[in-house]
Amino acid sequence: MGKRQRRSVLKKGVCIAEDRISQLPDEILVYILSSLTVEEASYTSILSRRWRSLWTCIDRLDFDATEPLDEVASKYKLRKKYLRWVNSTLQMCKEQTLSQFRICFDLDKYAQYDIDKWLEFAFSRKVQRLELDLRIEENYPRDFNNCYAFPARLLGLGDFAHSSSSKPHSDKLQIHPLVQQNFKSLKMLLLKSVNVTGQVLEFFLHNCPFIETMVVHESGTLVNLEVVGPSLNLRHLEIWSCRNVESLKICDTNLVTLGTSSGRVLMLKNVPTLVNVHILCVPYTHLLNDISSHLSCVLSQLEVLTLDAFSLVSEQNLSLSTLVLLA
């Protein structure tokens, strides 16, 4: 193509514009594509021969298909379609380090094998932000017995670290422990509608030196969790709707924010950087007394303290919501 043709010209009433975006280096184009979801990025493969495989080099894999796939009528076919899509996409991905790996779709224990392999893929690429959001809907919890179980042996912890009430759903699956540095890059861990134990979470806390954020929603196998030690890098912790949690112990750490609706016993000790605490008590109103005694040692340093307590006034109504702001 000559210089005249490369410039924007008007020929026979048609404007031919110069494609300056495609002239950018591959590194910049891949950086731009990484801001899109996987589905959106893959659409660019039809633009030209040069764009055909660029999207396979993105370092941010966001498999959020909740909106476009919700229109499919059959739930069974919908899940099979999603599993095939993720599996086929991972086979094409070329990037060796991942800034993000996100699964956002209604999946349960019957997808155990596939999700285990996805996790193995993400850790082998030294993922920094890992999110499994497997909820049916945001405000519609799944039966804990049907939740996907995080594979403890993926971390070299032996058999699945479950409570006695939960059993692994993929006994035939053999996953070799990963080399430790593969998950040392982890900075954020978000697990929603995933059965995970305190042993697994504590493993991440003590073996991932950069982890700053940990969020757990709707886990049926989380019973006790200890966030203890000045060497931990954790700054933000959220434990929501984990109804089987007995105790949450946070001591000698640099935690900044805490949000939880779980735990019959909450212990806070020597947390000098903790400034924001949100506690939701449902329906055990007696928790307020226990919580107050454990918060007394940190009240002076908190900037925001939110206590939401609900009690059954009648068979249909919940009452009492208290917000306390400290200067």
Side-chain angles (χ1 to χ4, degrees):
M1 183 180 292
K3 292 183 179 180
R4 293 184 179 180
Q5 289 176 300
R6 285 199 298 268
R7 298 193 186 97
S8 296
V9 298
L10 185 63
K11 185 177 181 180
K12 296 182 179 180
V14 178
C15 181
I16 303 176
E18 182 181 6
D19 182 5
R20 294 187 177 182
I21 294 181
S22 294
Q23 295 177 13
L24 294 173
D26 286 355
E27 293 78 8
I28 295 179
L29 294 178
V30 170
Y31 177 80
I32 295 173
L33 293 178
S34 293
S35 65
L36 307 176
T37 66
V38 173
E39 185 177 31
E40 292 168 339
S42 64
Y43 289 155
T44 62
S45 63
I46 65 174
L47 295 178
S48 69
R49 180 176 298 178
R50 187 192 172 198
W51 285 83
R52 187 171 301 168
S53 61
L54 275 178
W55 72 274
T56 64
C57 299
I58 61 178
D59 68 345
R60 179 178 173 271
L61 300 181
D62 184 354
F63 292 97
D64 186 347
T66 52
E67 292 186 6
L69 292 181
D70 273 344
E71 300 177 359
V72 180
S74 170
K75 203 69 173 180
Y76 175 74
K77 292 182 179 179
L78 174 59
R79 287 174 175 169
K80 288 188 64 176
K81 181 178 180 181
Y82 184 86
L83 295 176
R84 286 197 304 268
W85 173 50
V86 177
N87 286 328
S88 61
T89 301
L90 295 186
Q91 291 178 358
M92 293 184 285
C93 288
K94 300 176 181 178
E95 182 58 43
Q96 295 302 306
T97 58
L98 296 178
S99 63
Q100 177 182 358
F101 184 84
R102 180 173 183 257
I103 297 295
C104 184
F105 196 67
D106 172 15
L107 296 173
D108 56 19
K109 65 182 182 181
Y110 298 105
Q112 182 84 42
Y113 180 87
D114 293 280
I115 301 176
D116 285 352
K117 301 304 287 185
W118 300 346
L119 288 177
E120 186 176 3
F121 174 90
F123 283 125
S124 69
R125 264 78 175 169
K126 300 181 175 64
V127 64
Q128 296 181 20
R129 175 190 169 107
L130 175 64
E131 179 176 359
L132 297 182
D133 186 349
L134 311 183
R135 294 174 295 179
I136 302 174
E137 293 179 9
E138 187 171 348
N139 297 316
Y140 188 78
R142 190 191 311 279
D143 186 331
F144 288 154
N145 292 324
N146 293 325
C147 286
Y148 164 79
F150 192 98
R153 56 183 173 178
L154 186 66
L155 306 175
L157 297 178
D159 294 331
F160 281 67
H162 285 274
S163 65
S164 58
S165 61
S166 181
K167 298 179 180 179
H169 305 295
S170 56
D171 295 330
K172 297 181 180 179
L173 181 63
Q174 298 294 326
I175 302 179
H176 298 288
L178 295 173
V179 180
Q180 192 173 20
Q181 58 263 28
N182 284 346
F183 47 78
K184 276 195 169 184
S185 300
L186 192 64
K187 296 180 179 179
M188 301 182 67
L189 178 65
L190 301 92
L191 303 175
K192 302 174 183 179
S193 194
V194 174
N195 279 340
V196 63
T197 66
Q199 180 186 5
V200 168
L201 296 179
E202 290 170 19
F203 175 89
F204 281 116
L205 290 176
H206 290 279
N207 291 277
C208 302
F210 303 111
I211 191 166
E212 294 185 346
T213 300
M214 179 176 286
V215 177
V216 181
H217 287 231
E218 302 172 19
S219 171
T221 54
L222 182 58
V223 179
N224 300 300
L225 178 62
E226 293 189 1
V227 183
V228 179
S231 63
L232 300 186
N233 195 52
L234 192 68
R235 297 295 184 268
H236 311 284
L237 175 66
E238 296 181 23
I239 307 292
W240 300 108
S241 303
C242 301
R243 297 191 298 271
N244 294 326
V245 172
E246 293 290 337
S247 67
L248 179 58
K249 180 180 179 181
I250 303 173
C251 300
D252 305 322
T253 71
N254 295 311
L255 199 67
V256 177
T257 65
L258 169 65
T260 182
S261 62
S262 308
R264 296 178 182 272
V265 176
L266 172 63
M267 179 179 180
L268 298 174
K269 182 180 179 182
N270 190 24
V271 280
T273 57
L274 186 63
V275 296
N276 192 321
V277 175
H278 183 191
I279 302 173
L280 176 64
C281 305
V282 182
Y284 308 105
T285 54
H286 67 273
L287 283 176
L288 282 178
N289 294 328
D290 296 335
I291 290 171
S292 298
S293 64
H294 289 298
L295 282 177
S296 59
C297 61
V298 296
L299 285 176
S300 61
Q301 72 196 40
L302 292 180
E303 296 178 0
V304 179
L305 168 62
T306 305
L307 295 178
D308 291 326
F310 299 88
S311 61
L312 287 173
V313 178
S314 65
E315 293 183 357
Q316 298 180 343
N317 298 322
L318 293 173
S319 71
L320 182 58
S321 178
T322 305
L323 172 64
V324 181
L325 298 178
L326 302 178

